[in-house]
Amino acid sequence: MNRKTVTAAVMLLLAIGISGSLPLLAHITKDTTFYGMRTDLPVPRLPGYQPGAEKLRLVFFGYRHCGTVCPVQLVNLQDLHERLAHQPVKFVFVTLDPDRDSQKELDQTMTAMGSKFRAVRPENELVAQNLALGFSDYAAKTGTAEAYDYDHSARIYAVSPDNRRHLLYASPDLDLDRVQADIERLLAVL
């Protein structure tokens, strides 16, 4: 093959790839006036989670033994819990480490966080990782069998009761005033 043929083939593949991804992009970038990434994508049901009267839940994947991003995001969520106390919002912590995080420990931690916090403990690590993937999150076990951690994204997801992800916050470094404004604005249209 000559250089022109290869270049033409690469350009064609790029064009096909870009045009094929446009429908997905419409679900991600519908409204850029939000601080968080606005989406409208289905996510899996949270196993064992019984929805109540909330119009929105803020979902976070982490684990109790995390010494890095989880404590920061949990403080963010606790602050949002106080700011949104009179709003129909729940806060759901999904453990990535069901082997070490017992449901009793998770429930105690969530009770200490606030009245609208709930914990979800998938039946095993594989189910937890697949659930995270369903939210476009990632989690990878690092270390040895005896001493391990998880490399994970530390994202917060705003999810409606019909299991649709509407907002994504990709960093624990958040402007909580803007997050609060996003959540209140989203609640007004749900």
Side-chain angles (χ1 to χ4, degrees):
M1 268 190 202
N2 65 29
R3 183 177 284 206
K4 285 184 179 182
T5 305
V6 170
T7 302
V10 168
M11 296 303 284
L12 179 63
L13 289 174
L14 283 173
I16 291 169
I18 290 170
S19 66
S21 66
L22 289 178
L24 178 59
L25 290 176
H27 293 286
I28 296 174
T29 59
K30 280 187 172 180
D31 191 339
T32 58
T33 62
F34 280 87
Y35 172 63
M37 183 185 297
R38 183 78 162 105
T39 66
D40 185 11
L41 297 170
V43 294
R45 185 185 63 77
L46 297 173
Y49 180 77
Q50 297 299 320
E54 74 266 19
K55 287 176 70 175
L56 198 62
R57 57 191 108 120
L58 298 181
V59 178
F60 174 65
F61 289 85
Y63 62 109
R64 290 185 64 248
H65 295 89
C66 178
T68 56
V69 293
C70 291
V72 175
Q73 280 297 44
L74 287 173
V75 168
N76 286 337
L77 289 170
Q78 192 169 30
D79 190 345
L80 289 167
H81 177 266
E82 292 171 16
R83 291 168 179 249
L84 300 167
H86 300 293
Q87 297 287 353
V89 177
K90 294 280 184 172
F91 301 82
V92 183
F93 178 84
V94 181
T95 184
L96 295 167
D97 190 8
D99 291 339
R100 290 189 294 192
D101 292 346
S102 73
Q103 189 67 52
K104 181 180 177 183
E105 292 170 324
L106 289 167
D107 290 343
Q108 288 172 341
T109 301
M110 295 302 105
T111 297
M113 295 287 297
S115 62
K116 293 184 175 186
F117 278 85
R118 301 293 180 268
V120 169
R121 182 176 173 263
E123 64 184 85
N124 59 49
E125 178 186 351
L126 181 60
V127 172
Q129 287 180 336
N130 285 332
L131 186 61
L133 282 173
F135 276 74
S136 301
D137 209 303
Y138 72 89
K141 199 175 208 178
T142 62
T144 65
E146 298 81 32
Y148 63 89
D149 283 312
Y150 285 89
D151 183 16
H152 65 104
S153 65
R155 296 175 180 147
I156 295 174
Y157 304 95
V159 179
S160 55
D162 60 350
N163 294 313
R164 300 217 44 101
R165 187 184 83 194
H166 296 279
L167 288 168
L168 175 144
Y169 297 95
S171 167
D173 184 22
L174 294 171
D175 180 338
L176 294 178
D177 290 333
R178 293 178 75 188
V179 174
Q180 179 183 354
D182 276 1
I183 299 303
E184 290 173 343
R185 184 172 158 208
L186 184 59
L187 286 168
V189 298
L190 288 178

